[in-house]
Amino acid sequence: MDDFWNRCLDELRISTPPDIFETWYSDLTAETDLDIGAITIYGGSSTKARNVQSAYGDTIQKLVNRLANKEMAIHWATRETPAPVSVSVERAPEPSIEERTGLLPNLTFENLVEGHANQLAVASALQVASTTNAIYNPLFIYGGVGLGKTHLMHAIGNRYLELNPKAKVRCVSAQQYIQEFLNAINQKAGSNNNDTAMREFEQRYRDLDLLLIDDIQNFAQRSGTQANFFQTFENMVPHGKKIVLTSDTYPNDLKDLQERLRSRLSQGLRVSVEPPEYEMRVQIVLQKAERSQLKLPLEVAEAIAANLKSNVRELEGAVQQVIAYSNFHGEEVTLEMAKMALRDIFRSSAQPVSVEEIQEIVAKHFNSTVADINGKSRKAEIVLVRSIAMYLAKELTTKSLPELGKLFGGRDHTTIIHSCKKIKAQRNTDENLRHVLHLLEQRIKN
Ligand code: ADP
Ligand code: MG
């Protein structure tokens, strides 16, 4: 056993709520070489290794550096745990759902908080998961980072499999699809044009009832993979087999996607997930705490939701931090304590973005000017640009309504309220507006 990794696990066990520890950390193993400053961490399965890496990679990196007292290089290994020394003759166990399909059992509809931001996406996802006819095919889910696209995709797969236990479901990241495709090509090239591997690869995908591919934007510039995926698509969709895709980019903006593929993607339904609004953030924080069996006072959940606005992963991180702090000190959570536990997170998320910056970004996007935004013009185009800037300023800064009024050319605060309401309502029905707001939000936050 690796002593160094055992020490890491001991620390994680103390600082992490039991269900998270069991789910994510308990079966990780590692081999450490402290002299050269490198550690190889093995996940229980390749899906698991990838998911731990993306969700908790930072936490582990910090911990490992701290315990080793230097910057360590982490290598994430995708093979199973290191080969045991003694060989046992037991029969291989049945593959788990996760191994068979790539679906993570924890990412379900039950664990997903619904709100304005994802209402449409959840409703469409439920349709796809629970009906046999394929009306929304393919379903294309897009939105910014950490907003729940991957979660929603796995939820569809899990629900579908619950309702159709015999169905063939496969859930992969675009990266994984690309890798499998390349492996098949390489084997063919390396074995005298023997295309068994390629046929196996294609069969694996064509026999499916439901195929879910995450982060399809990674197909950009991969014309070979795209051509192959086009064939997969043609073999599935016209026969009523379902495909669900996610992307961080609006489909029409996907660069370097072959036209025929783009046009196929637009045949189905496109839905966006938006950044969660305040009430939804409160619910998410409460839910994450409850799942970790932490008693979290409402005022603490509200403080977290008020301070962390951009994505759900950030909210999860905050809840974990509070849990670690409360376990470590052996105290119940209070607002004071949570503020203490989260002081660094709150400080680094303290709004660096100003209303002026927002006005500039919005003006530039619409080829308008800040002077127009703050001026008196009642021209429809300018009123719309102004309203969008007001809406984003309200969402993305902590300025009060009267302060915003002043910063928008000395207007009354009721004008700000009116504009925000108007944009909020229009956002629900107007896909173009959602797309523009999404773009602007990303630009403002970066
Ligand atoms: P994306 O794929 O859009 O980057 P993820 O699906 O990985 O985002 O979500 C990031 C984290 O936030 C995950 O742990 C996920 O379970 C959680 N999450 C996202 N949206 C919600 C939600 N609406 N309710 C509960 N948890 C959520
Ligand atoms: Mg994702």
Side-chain angles (χ1 to χ4, degrees), residues 6-17:
N6 277 343
R7 276 171 51 215
C8 296
L9 282 180
D10 284 345
E11 282 239 356
L12 287 168
R13 195 175 286 115
I14 299 170
S15 62
T16 316

Side-chain angles (χ1 to χ4, degrees), residues 72-105:
M72 294 282 285
I74 298 187
H75 172 63
W76 290 89
T78 52
R79 73 172 156 99
E80 307 284 301
T81 47
V85 183
S86 65
V87 180
S88 84
V89 286
E90 278 171 35
R91 213 155 38 92
E94 283 276 296
S96 65
I97 289 188
E98 187 178 331
E99 282 160 339
R100 197 154 47 84
T101 61
L103 287 168
L104 292 170

Side-chain angles (χ1 to χ4, degrees), residues 100-101 103 160-161 164-171 203-212 236 241-242:
R100 197 154 47 84
T101 61
L103 287 168
Y160 186 81
L161 205 58
N164 312 281
K166 295 228 166 74
K168 294 210 181 83
V169 178
R170 189 163 175 85
C171 175
Q203 211 51 41
R204 200 177 309 148
Y205 283 92
R206 283 173 197 174
D207 256 0
L208 297 172
D209 300 300
L210 171 64
L211 169 61
L212 310 116
M236 289 184 67
K241 308 295 177 84
K242 302 183 190 200

Side-chain angles (χ1 to χ4, degrees), residues 181 183-204:
F181 176 61
N183 288 348
I185 290 186
N186 288 341
Q187 286 196 21
K188 183 172 168 180
S191 61
N192 247 344
N193 239 359
N194 176 346
D195 64 358
T196 324
M198 184 55 85
R199 256 184 286 136
E200 263 171 30
F201 167 77
E202 291 180 349
Q203 211 51 41
R204 200 177 309 148

